[in-house]
Amino acid sequence: IPPATFAVYVANRLCVPTGRDQIRFSQLLDPTDFKVEDYVSIDPGNSDSIQSLTALEGAAMLVGKRRGLHVITSIDDLSGSDFMQSEVTSQFGVVARRTVRHVGGLLFFLSDTGVYSVNVGVRGTSKVGTPAAYLQITDDPVSADIEDKIADIHFTTAAGLTSGVAPACATVSDNRYFLAVPTSASGNDRIYIFNLVLNAWESVDTLPGGVYVDDLVRVIYNNRQRVVAVVSSGKLLLLDENADGEDEYGNTAEASTAIADALAVTRIYRAKNAATIKRWKIASISSTTKTASSTKFRVQATTREPDSSTVELGEFTTTALEEDFRRLGIRQRGNGIQLTVTNGRQIGSNPEGRWELRDITVEGHEGSRQRRSYA
């Protein structure tokens, strides 16, 4: 077997990346027999290099380079006319191999511009054609809603180019894509969680100081599949929230607890018209505290032109285990508005319990005096 850091088994062949651009293939059903002529070069001659290999249906494979994606077809017949390699995109590629995760018909991975997904299951059994013809890539990254958090990633370390530090990694469990990334050269200190059912990011978790993730694995614990982080000190960190909303960590008989600050940011409301100036009047917020602890919130509004500013709409405390509804005055002008809901030490109050935003509505009007609601 040629020397390599990883390999994949596709169409009864072992596929081994050798060098920056070359992939060698074993004989059918014999992963230890490699012929000299059985290889393919992926976009040779540039400064890019192979980062990942992923098996696809129909004896095909997706090759992720740092700045591009390529597909190889008919790996089961290396001498056939259908054996070829094609470029899928040169706009982005794969930063770290362990961030590539296959979920149903979707393939998620971290690139230098964010998290992308590729639909590799759209061909169906009744259609024909090469994988290059039926692969679908999202025009915008899946992480578009958390661009500010993606900007915090230390991509040199995420790619595994920092000596002695594990690269970024990911796993899928409970319909969620867990992505561990570094924000410094020290290691993976943040975990982003994407909900596949809701098609939205539901959490950005910052680990306690000095705790860095080397890998994310799935285990069976208390008859449930759970996600465990293997940290750099050799300990295992169970990723799951308690009923009281506190995180636990440590290696003693009684674990330490940490209460997590929470932050929710809405999309920018433009009332389907980004050109006109609106007068924003009222924000309505419905929330529920999920545990037996009341909690305090702060709501801020950020408007876009002409009044590009952030104003505080108010603070309020919810009642434990009950729904809460608030209407807060805005009185700002702008062609768009965005709300930020904060719960935690940033407002001088320890966050308690878990909470859920049920509904957010913004009311305003354009040139006329007729007021409308935008949810």
Side-chain angles (χ1 to χ4, degrees):
I1 299 178
T5 57
F6 71 96
V8 297
Y9 202 66
V10 181
N12 296 318
R13 297 183 189 273
L14 187 65
C15 308
V16 183
T18 57
R20 302 176 64 90
D21 310 308
Q22 191 178 93
I23 301 174
R24 296 188 61 185
F25 303 97
S26 73
Q27 295 299 291
L28 286 172
L29 301 173
D30 190 349
T32 62
D33 184 12
F34 288 79
K35 289 187 177 181
V36 176
E37 63 270 21
D38 291 342
Y39 74 93
V40 66
S41 295
I42 306 297
D43 195 19
N46 60 16
S47 59
D48 209 354
S49 60
I50 295 174
Q51 301 293 323
S52 67
L53 304 177
T54 306
L56 303 177
E57 62 174 282
M61 179 171 61
L62 186 70
V63 181
K65 302 188 82 172
R66 185 67 185 268
R67 289 182 290 277
L69 298 177
H70 305 260
V71 67
I72 304 176
T73 59
S74 299
I75 295 176
D76 54 343
D77 185 10
L78 300 181
S79 60
S81 59
D82 291 332
F83 174 70
M84 64 183 69
Q85 68 93 7
S86 307
E87 183 181 83
V88 178
T89 179
S90 60
Q91 301 302 311
F92 52 82
V94 176
V95 168
R97 173 177 59 88
R98 293 191 302 168
T99 67
V100 182
R101 289 294 177 263
H102 207 159
V103 189
L106 295 176
L107 194 71
F108 288 86
F109 58 90
L110 176 66
S111 76
D112 285 289
T113 54
V115 178
Y116 279 85
S117 68
V118 178
N119 191 336
V120 297
V122 298
R123 179 177 63 174
T125 57
S126 62
K127 298 181 180 180
V128 296
T130 64
Y134 65 81
L135 288 177
Q136 290 185 351
I137 302 177
T138 55
D139 295 330
D140 297 320
V142 177
S143 58
D145 292 337
I146 57 168
E147 287 185 0
D148 56 328
K149 305 301 180 183
I150 295 297
D152 294 338
I153 298 177
H154 194 281
F155 281 98
T156 298
T157 303
L161 302 178
T162 301
S163 178
V165 179
C169 57
T171 191
V172 174
S173 178
D174 193 24
N175 292 315
R176 289 169 172 82
Y177 175 72
F178 293 79
L179 173 65
V181 294
T183 59
S184 69
S186 299
N188 298 317
D189 57 353
R190 207 177 265 184
I191 299 177
Y192 300 167
I193 303 175
F194 182 76
N195 191 309
L196 302 172
V197 176
L198 300 178
N199 194 32
W201 296 90
E202 66 178 22
S203 181
V204 176
D205 299 339
T206 300
L207 297 174
V211 178
Y212 303 104
V213 176
D214 282 354
D215 202 1
L216 292 173
V217 297
R218 292 175 296 179
V219 302
I220 301 299
Y221 181 77
N222 287 342
N223 296 319
R224 281 184 54 205
Q225 179 176 275
R226 308 279 285 276
V227 177
V228 168
V230 182
V231 300
S232 56
S233 62
K235 299 181 179 69
L236 300 179
L237 182 65
L238 182 64
L239 302 184
D240 205 351
E241 62 183 64
N242 293 330
D244 58 6
E246 295 183 356
D247 292 339
E248 290 187 355
Y249 66 97
N251 194 35
T252 60
E254 188 168 335
S256 302
T257 60
I259 305 175
D261 291 327
L263 178 71
V265 181
T266 70
R267 64 180 176 86
I268 300 177
Y269 299 97
R270 297 189 185 275
K272 300 181 181 180
N273 189 342
T276 62
I277 305 301
K278 298 91 179 173
R279 294 184 180 274
W280 304 104
K281 296 296 184 180
I282 296 176
S284 302
I285 299 176
S286 174
S287 64
T288 302
T289 303
K290 308 291 287 186
T291 54
S293 299
S294 60
T295 188
K296 186 178 181 181
F297 293 96
R298 169 190 289 168
V299 181
Q300 294 175 308
T302 301
T303 54
R304 300 301 191 268
E305 299 295 338
D307 299 334
S308 298
S309 61
T310 298
V311 296
E312 182 173 329
L313 304 186
E315 296 182 1
F316 59 91
T317 300
T318 62
T319 304
L321 298 175
E322 292 186 5
E323 291 194 14
D324 188 275
F325 180 78
R326 305 280 172 160
R327 289 173 63 85
L328 306 172
I330 302 176
R331 298 181 181 85
Q332 293 291 312
R333 297 172 63 246
N335 58 26
I337 189 171
Q338 186 173 45
L339 300 183
T340 301
V341 183
T342 307
N343 167 236
R345 282 172 283 266
Q346 300 177 55
I347 57 177
S349 173
N350 286 332
E352 296 185 15
R354 293 183 293 115
W355 54 279
E356 174 184 320
L357 283 176
R358 304 294 296 275
D359 184 68
I360 295 180
T361 302
V362 180
E363 298 179 15
H365 61 80
E366 298 181 9
S368 67
R369 305 301 297 179
Q370 182 180 3
R371 183 180 298 177
R372 297 180 181 177
S373 297
Y374 308 99

